[in-house]
Amino acid sequence: MKKLLKNGYMFLIFAFLYAPVVVLIIFSFNDAKSRAVWGGFTLDWYRKLFQNSDILSALRVTLIIALLSALISTFVAAITCLGLQSMKRRLRGVIMQVTYIPNVSPDLVTGISLMLLFFFIGLKTGFPTLLMAHIAFNIPYAILSISPKFKQLDKNIYEAALDLGCKPHQAIIKVILPEIMPGIVTALILTFTLSIDDFVISYFTAGNQISTLAITIYSMARKSVNPQINALSALMFVTVLILLIIVNIRSGKDSKVKVGTRGGDK
Amino acid sequence: MFNSLKKSPSIKSQDAANGKKGQLADSTGSSHIIELIDICKSYGDTKVLDDITFYIRNNEFITLLGPSGCGKTTTLRILAGFEQPDSGSVTFEDNDLLVVPPYLRKVNTVFQRYALFPHLDVKDNIAFGLKLQKLPASEIASRVDQALKMVDLKGYENRWVDQLSGGQMQRIAIARAIVNKPQVLLLDEPLGALDLKMRKEMQIELKQMQQSLGITFVYVTHDQEEALTMSDTIIVMKQGRIQQIGTPTDIYNEPRNAFVADFIGESNILPGRMTQDFEVDFCGHSFVCVDPRFEQEEVDVVIRPEDIQIVSSEGKALRGVVSSIVFKGVHYEMNVDTDNFSFMVHSTDPVDPGTTVGLHFDPDEIHVMAKSDFSPDRILTISDHENDEISHEEVTW
């Protein structure tokens, strides 16, 4: 009885969490314009989606922004982590704390403050500002993905490379980079995902010339009831879900490796 | 007395060189591969190296010995090029070493925690330095092969580093260093993470390796037994200063101060007084000894526990009661309480606690030292076993 209650409770929680998405995905295959009546299975909405030029251009913008912001923010984060290593412990702690703050501050605040900043320094909102905004909110996440790898790093490994004849930059490329690679890949996937996922910050920094998928969905939803939105949302949900599952599996594997081998060689 | 008992003249000059730069100059010769002169180094307000001066002769096995935080690792890191001293000079074959970046120095390091590259297999770890020198592949292969043979790990070429045991990792770390044929090999507590049996085996192997390769070894350890077993020369350090430089026998038999006497082996250290040559007073009695008098009357007296004989109390000046006895395998360790001092005695013949006994030692077993900061009346006990934890003197990387 107790077990039944426990499982039932869990089922309710998950149902509550995922029912809206499930409904959305089901209705993306609904052969009727209504959002309430089931009119049979169809892939029409997906077909129309890929003929809609607004959506296609938004998709292009989204992917380019996601790719560029992922690459740039991961690069910046990797260099930041490298620099943090040679800092005194206390200063490093302070910087890591400061890094956490954007993660917990509301997107709305980040978005509006970035918009105000761009206005203040006289930048017209558009592709560059959108890209900068995405890089800005991605960097903390990238740092948080990479910095644990630096913590696991053997302190002497860089010196060992120098000792064996590496110049400092060679030591970083030949020894440090391979060691932190898993963190870098995780950071790339995570920042790419977050960039696709973002609506609020993009909304304030993209301007009215360009649009990301999230913004397009929002404006479509305001204008009219269009089941294409269901199809597009379903696709985005599935994409983001897959990417996040990859990130989680990767970080799970990492911590296992850490316990298995690093812990063993006392 | 130090000079009168010194066996080799070169050790004497090194001993004299400690702290006195002038005398080092005349001992400079081609046989000194490295010379450190007046090295000082501080981290913030803490002085980690205070006027370190010594030289390293070609092909010798020299050990920096001391408790954690004594500056031994920092000294080694200065030789490797990972640290710069605040002042002083280091020369390598008479050239300034401090201006040479670590990757151009003709030294290689074996790190305490191995510092192998986990993303490479055993073969590529060893070949790392050779590949950087852009040697032909065939030569790299044959030298890697040789190095693996040397450390007795043939057949492990394609293993990953995390598939190796601690001892095997350490062997690979040594192979990775010696394959580059360095002139000087720096070893930072390389056996610290191994268990006792493995450590003993590796001590012998390392010593043999050093002799067969003809490379100079600079070895850092806090383990006095290890230092005595392997070294040609031992440099005892404490609080950033060199306490004594000498051969293992010198260091053991003629410790310069109470710290060295206590750190190397077991010892009874007593406060004494010397008013004339060859006679020292302690425990309320006068004893004949082999040392001429010092500048100051107050001295420290060292008697090793194995040099004390337990005899019948009758007619003996020094009498005491056995207060405890512990079986140590080879011998019994007894504490004999006299009126002024509790002597530690090592003997193969057990005596029941509570027995009153006499203590006897020959004049040449009484070793007299000048007073120092480490004298027992200034510091009550200095345990040499408190240093078993690994020193982390550096924070970066």
Side-chain angles (χ1 to χ4, degrees):
Chain A
M1 185 63 197
K2 206 174 164 190
K3 204 176 165 195
L4 195 75
L5 271 177
K6 239 197 246 170
N7 288 340
Y9 176 73
M10 205 165 75
F11 175 77
L12 273 177
I13 293 281
F14 278 113
F16 189 72
L17 279 175
Y18 285 97
V21 179
V22 173
V23 169
L24 177 120
I25 292 173
I26 290 171
F27 274 84
S28 71
F29 299 107
N30 186 11
D31 195 5
K33 245 198 159 180
S34 160
R35 273 192 246 184
V37 189
W38 181 252
F41 181 85
T42 178
L43 286 174
D44 258 10
W45 304 121
Y46 287 90
R47 222 167 283 135
K48 280 192 185 134
L49 194 64
F50 287 104
Q51 286 154 7
N52 185 329
S53 65
D54 281 353
I55 286 175
L56 285 180
S57 83
L59 176 68
R60 204 172 59 235
V61 170
T62 304
L63 288 179
I64 291 172
I65 290 283
L67 197 67
L68 284 179
S69 74
L71 286 172
I72 296 171
S73 59
T74 302
F75 179 73
V76 171
I79 288 179
T80 308
C81 288
L82 196 65
L84 283 172
Q85 283 311 299
S86 40
M87 275 182 185
K88 292 247 165 65
R89 194 167 300 170
R90 186 173 302 166
L91 187 60
R92 183 164 58 196
V94 170
I95 290 187
M96 286 308 282
Q97 286 303 318
V98 173
T99 305
Y100 275 106
I101 294 172
N103 290 358
V104 290
S105 86
D107 279 0
L108 200 61
V109 175
T110 312
I112 291 176
S113 53
L114 279 168
M115 181 182 72
L116 289 177
L117 176 73
F118 293 141
F119 278 141
F120 182 72
I121 58 176
L123 272 177
K124 258 190 80 169
T125 46
F127 187 87
T129 54
L130 182 64
L131 179 61
M132 277 189 267
H134 278 234
I135 293 169
F137 77 73
N138 269 335
I139 285 175
Y141 291 97
I143 290 178
L144 293 177
S145 310
I146 297 172
S147 72
K149 284 279 133 201
F150 272 98
K151 270 188 207 129
Q152 289 170 24
L153 211 61
D154 184 334
K155 277 197 283 184
N156 292 129
I157 214 170
Y158 172 74
E159 288 175 348
L162 293 185
D163 191 72
L164 292 166
C166 278
K167 296 191 176 77
H169 70 274
Q170 284 177 310
I172 287 168
I173 292 166
K174 282 179 188 280
V175 171
I176 305 292
L177 197 61
E179 286 303 299
I180 61 165
M181 213 31 154
I184 286 184
V185 174
T186 304
L188 281 174
I189 301 173
L190 184 67
T191 51
F192 185 81
T193 313
L194 290 171
S195 178
I196 291 181
D197 196 41
D198 175 70
F199 164 68
V200 178
I201 297 170
S202 306
Y203 187 74
F204 286 103
T205 53
N208 43 26
Q209 298 301 312
I210 57 164
S211 167
T212 66
L213 277 181
I215 298 173
T216 307
I217 293 175
Y218 177 72
S219 46
M220 279 164 72
R222 278 208 311 187
K223 264 182 256 162
S224 65
V225 182
N226 184 345
Q228 280 179 38
I229 298 173
N230 294 351
L232 185 54
S233 307
L235 282 179
M236 280 183 72
F237 173 78
V238 172
T239 312
V240 169
L241 185 72
I242 289 170
L243 287 172
L244 282 180
I245 287 172
I246 294 174
V247 169
N248 278 329
I249 290 174
R250 288 182 58 85
S251 45
K253 228 194 270 166
D254 274 2
S255 52
K256 240 184 259 160
V257 166
K258 203 172 112 201
V259 172
T261 63
R262 296 292 196 284
D265 58 34
K266 207 230 110 136
Chain B
M1 66 149 264
F2 293 111
N3 292 342
S4 64
L5 284 174
K6 284 289 172 279
K7 280 119 208 154
S8 98
S10 60
I11 297 296
K12 197 203 294 178
S13 67
Q14 174 140 52
D15 227 336
N18 177 16
K20 283 178 226 146
K21 196 163 143 192
Q23 274 163 305
L24 186 72
D26 33 323
S27 63
T28 307
S30 57
S31 67
H32 299 169
I33 186 162
I34 294 177
E35 289 180 4
L36 291 88
I37 297 164
D38 293 343
I39 298 293
C40 293
K41 171 93 185 162
S42 303
Y43 292 123
D45 292 335
T46 10
K47 202 151 197 188
V48 288
L49 293 180
D50 191 359
D51 243 358
I52 297 294
T53 297
F54 66 91
Y55 57 76
I56 298 165
R57 280 173 297 159
N58 221 341
N59 297 345
E60 84 174 323
F61 195 121
I62 191 162
T63 299
L64 301 172
L65 173 67
S68 59
C70 73
K72 56 190 191 299
T73 299
T74 310
T75 309
L76 196 79
R77 290 171 58 82
I78 286 173
L79 292 178
F82 307 140
E83 305 269 351
Q84 285 288 331
D86 299 336
S87 63
S89 75
V90 181
T91 58
F92 187 96
E93 294 181 325
D94 298 328
N95 297 316
D96 187 2
L97 185 66
L98 296 176
V99 295
V100 183
Y103 53 90
L104 293 178
R105 294 192 183 190
K106 291 170 193 158
V107 301
N108 282 114
T109 308
V110 177
F111 293 88
Q112 186 175 17
R113 294 282 188 213
Y114 326 128
L116 296 175
F117 306 128
H119 65 285
L120 300 176
D121 63 10
V122 164
K123 176 172 78 306
D124 287 337
N125 261 285
I126 298 176
F128 193 87
L130 300 177
K131 281 183 181 165
L132 282 164
Q133 292 171 35
K134 304 237 158 58
L135 295 178
S138 58
E139 191 185 342
I140 294 181
S142 77
R143 274 168 75 172
V144 168
D145 207 55
Q146 246 179 345
L148 273 170
K149 230 179 258 166
M150 187 105 204
V151 296
D152 217 11
L153 280 178
K154 271 217 66 63
Y156 283 72
E157 286 86 350
N158 297 317
R159 294 276 190 105
W160 290 98
V161 168
D162 54 10
Q163 295 171 319
L164 302 174
S165 71
Q168 289 168 339
M169 281 197 262
Q170 193 54 275
R171 282 160 196 265
I172 297 302
I174 292 165
R176 184 180 67 175
I178 59 173
V179 78
N180 302 295
K181 300 187 176 156
Q183 276 174 284
V184 177
L185 188 66
L186 309 173
L187 302 103
D188 183 9
E189 307 217 17
L191 310 182
L194 305 181
D195 61 55
L196 185 67
K197 196 160 175 288
M198 179 80 79
R199 206 153 64 211
K200 299 255 181 209
E201 284 172 21
M202 286 294 285
Q203 283 172 14
I204 296 163
E205 282 183 39
L206 272 176
K207 182 72 191 168
Q208 285 170 346
M209 216 179 274
Q210 187 254 336
Q211 281 160 348
S212 64
L213 287 170
I215 296 179
T216 308
F217 274 36
V218 183
Y219 194 95
V220 161
T221 184
H222 63 263
D223 184 334
Q224 45 106 0
E225 204 191 319
E226 199 164 283
L228 292 174
T229 312
M230 304 166 82
S231 319
D232 297 321
T233 304
I234 296 177
I235 299 176
V236 184
M237 293 177 72
K238 167 78 177 167
Q239 292 168 352
R241 287 173 192 230
I242 293 179
Q243 303 299 330
Q244 189 169 357
I245 302 179
T247 63
T249 34
D250 282 341
I251 301 265
Y252 189 84
N253 291 333
E254 305 290 335
R256 169 175 284 183
N257 62 33
F259 172 76
V260 179
D262 191 67
F263 193 73
I264 317 287
E266 309 266 17
S267 45
N268 297 292
I269 305 170
L270 309 92
R273 177 180 286 274
M274 220 175 179
T275 49
Q276 51 180 304
D277 289 350
F278 313 118
E279 191 177 309
V280 59
D281 301 339
F282 57 91
C283 283
H285 301 281
S286 255
F287 295 88
V288 177
C289 65
V290 294
D291 301 298
R293 61 167 302 198
F294 290 76
E295 271 171 42
Q296 274 150 344
E297 287 187 2
E298 302 288 326
V299 293
D300 283 331
V301 177
V302 180
I303 305 167
R304 296 285 183 189
E306 67 270 20
D307 291 337
I308 303 178
Q309 296 157 32
I310 290 184
V311 293
S312 147
S313 63
E314 222 136 299
K316 269 283 148 208
L318 205 53
R319 269 179 296 191
V321 179
V322 177
S323 62
S324 69
I325 176 163
V326 179
F327 181 55
K328 289 277 191 179
V330 184
H331 58 256
Y332 292 90
E333 181 176 302
M334 286 171 275
N335 278 312
V336 180
D337 295 348
T338 67
D339 293 342
N340 303 304
F341 190 80
S342 177
F343 282 89
M344 181 194 280
V345 182
H346 289 172
S347 166
T348 46
D349 299 318
V351 179
D352 287 332
T355 317
T356 305
V357 295
L359 297 177
H360 175 79
F361 23 82
D362 292 331
D364 62 349
E365 277 150 1
I366 299 171
H367 174 63
V368 187
M369 310 176 299
K371 281 272 175 206
S372 67
D373 290 345
F374 308 105
S375 297
D377 35 358
R378 302 192 198 174
I379 303 170
L380 277 177
T381 49
I382 314 161
S383 162
D384 43 331
H385 304 297
E386 72 193 35
N387 317 301
D388 287 355
E389 90 276 13
I390 287 91
S391 63
H392 287 289
E393 291 161 29
E394 282 69 44
V395 267
T396 47
W397 292 100

